[in-house]
Amino acid sequence: MKIKSFLVLLCLALCSTVIQAQEKKTVTGVVQDLRGNPLSGATIREVGTQNAVSSNASGAFSIQVKLNATLLVTFVGFAELQVKTGTKSNYVVTL
């Protein structure tokens, strides 16, 4: 009986791990200034985590985040901006 209970608990733990892994999505986008110029080296961070990436020379970025995450986009000399991710997966962020 104890072995059955252990196996059931182990199965539930493994299933919850798979479900958590499925609760992520990839968000892509471009960071630009008000004139539409790309901002290379902007930091895009998932709020509440250490998960972060930098935009490339074209201002493009790609980051894997939890569903409905909030991104904090920062760049030296510009006001930071929070972007709430929803059903979209591609964003143009203007600082």
Side-chain angles (χ1 to χ4, degrees):
M1 190 62 163
K2 288 183 180 182
I3 292 176
K4 261 189 185 179
S5 297
F6 174 75
L7 290 175
V8 169
L9 288 174
L10 181 62
C11 184
L12 289 173
L14 291 174
C15 289
S16 68
T17 301
V18 170
I19 290 170
Q20 287 177 355
Q22 293 174 352
E23 292 181 359
K24 288 199 170 235
K25 73 174 192 172
T26 300
V27 174
T28 59
V30 175
V31 182
Q32 63 185 20
D33 65 13
L34 288 172
R35 294 182 178 170
N37 299 314
L39 295 177
S40 173
T43 300
I44 300 91
R45 183 175 56 85
E46 182 179 5
V47 173
T49 72
Q50 297 298 316
N51 183 22
V53 296
S54 294
S55 59
N56 67 16
S58 302
F61 68 90
S62 178
I63 185 170
Q64 196 170 49
V65 297
K66 295 177 185 171
L67 295 177
N68 299 312
T70 299
L71 301 177
L72 180 65
V73 183
T74 59
F75 191 76
V76 176
F78 288 80
E80 63 185 35
L81 181 68
Q82 287 195 2
V83 177
K84 293 185 187 241
T85 63
T87 56
K88 288 175 39 176
S89 60
N90 194 354
Y91 294 84
V92 176
V93 180
T94 304
L95 297 180

